[in-house]
Each structure stands twice: as structure tokens, then as C-alpha cells.
Amino acid sequence: GTQHKKVRHLFIHNSHDGNYEISPDMDLSRARSLTVIGKAGGAISKFNKYKLARVLDLEGCIDVEDFHVKEICKLWNLRYLSLGPDITEIPKEIAQLKLLETLDVSKTRVNVLPVEAIGLPCLIHLIGKFKLQDPVKTERLPNECMLEVILGVVAYKVGYFCNLWNI
């Protein structure tokens, strides 16, 4: 509404023409979450607007592309990230998301996940069908892994993950 200039949660559903623009007087610097289903248009033009975002639910967003993910990796406060169908790779800059707890790439076309994603210190849930970069350099992984749920990983050797986390 026009009386509320400060945004905490922004939900965009089916912006028909993709020309959704954020009102210039809308303060997104304190937004905690962004959820997009369909086209987001101008709402994703600059992810640096969402300085304190904790949740980016973009798995239903059809206009987020690979170059956007590098900008997303600068959102230091992010806890939850889900990406959509136009994403084909996760950059190594994912390592900057030190507080990320959930990474969902199940709706993407990502085939190979960088080891930096596995090494995130707070990551608990990793969801999607992917392979890890080979060979995985275990010296780049944290000593204590927080992962509790791994869904959809493609493993070629049974002992592969056992060696990673000394299970």
C-alpha cells in the first residue's frame, strides 16, 4: 500500500508482462524475504537493494539468470536460497554466503555443484540433483560439517562421502 514505505516481505506472483517495477519510494533495504512466482521484472534488477534479506525463494521465478546469482552471493545475511529453471551453474562466490542454511537447486539445470557450496559453515539442507566437482579437495571443506539433509546428489563411489565427513 501507499502508506507503508518500509517493506519486510515482498511476494510477487505472475507479473503478467514482466514489467513489475518497485516504487522509487519503497524502502527495500530492510526486506527480510523475497518470493517470486512467474516474472519478477524490476524486482530483481538489483539484488543489492535487499541488504538484510534472509530468504530468497526464486524457484518459481522464470527470469532469474546465472548472472543474477553472483549478485545474490553478496547478500551476507541470506539463510535460505532456492533458485529457478534458468539457472545452469552456481558460482564459486557462493562461499560468501557464510550464514546460508538451505540451498535448493532442485528446480534448476545445475549439473555440477562447486565444492564451495558444500563447505558453507552453516549449511544444513542441500537439495537438488547434482554432482560435485571432481576431484573434491577435502582440505577446502570445514572440519565440522553441519549438513543434515542432502537430497539428490549423484555419487559414483560409495565411500566418496564417507571420506569427506569421516562417517
Side-chain angles (χ1 to χ4, degrees):
T2 56
Q3 68 268 43
H4 299 291
K5 306 286 188 230
K6 296 179 181 176
V7 176
R8 296 285 188 253
H9 308 282
L10 182 58
F11 179 82
I12 300 170
H13 185 261
N14 284 335
S15 174
H16 299 294
D17 56 6
N19 290 328
Y20 181 83
E21 291 297 327
I22 302 293
S23 172
D25 60 346
M26 205 181 285
D27 181 11
L28 297 174
S29 66
R30 296 183 182 183
R32 298 293 190 263
S33 68
L34 171 65
T35 301
V36 179
I37 299 173
K39 289 188 174 186
I44 59 166
S45 62
K46 293 182 181 174
F47 279 104
N48 62 356
K49 295 177 196 172
Y50 305 97
K51 295 178 191 316
L52 298 178
R54 296 180 73 152
V55 173
L56 284 183
D57 184 356
L58 304 173
E59 74 178 42
C61 185
I62 58 175
D63 55 351
V64 171
E65 298 179 24
D66 287 336
F67 70 91
H68 289 112
V69 181
K70 285 195 178 194
E71 290 299 313
I72 291 170
C73 289
K74 296 176 185 174
L75 299 175
W76 62 271
N77 202 35
L78 208 56
R79 305 297 202 280
Y80 178 93
L81 175 61
S82 65
L83 296 167
D86 290 334
I87 303 301
T88 60
E89 67 178 316
I90 303 295
K92 293 180 187 231
E93 288 84 356
I94 192 89
Q96 297 173 12
L97 299 178
K98 302 283 188 209
L99 300 176
L100 193 67
E101 296 174 1
T102 301
L103 176 59
D104 184 347
V105 293
S106 63
K107 303 290 188 224
T108 68
R109 293 182 286 141
V110 171
N111 295 321
V112 178
L113 197 66
V115 70
E116 288 81 3
I118 300 291
L120 291 170
C122 295
L123 192 65
I124 297 171
H125 303 99
L126 181 57
I127 304 163
K129 185 178 179 183
F130 53 84
K131 295 182 274 187
L132 294 177
Q133 285 177 336
D134 195 22
V136 174
K137 297 188 183 329
T138 55
E139 65 269 9
R140 289 172 31 195
L141 295 174
N143 291 336
E144 294 184 26
C145 183
M146 299 294 291
L147 274 172
E148 293 177 6
V149 177
I150 302 176
L151 297 176
V153 70
V154 177
Y156 293 104
K157 297 179 184 176
V158 176
Y160 196 62
F161 284 103
C162 294
N163 290 335
L164 288 178
W165 293 292
N166 297 320
I167 297 174

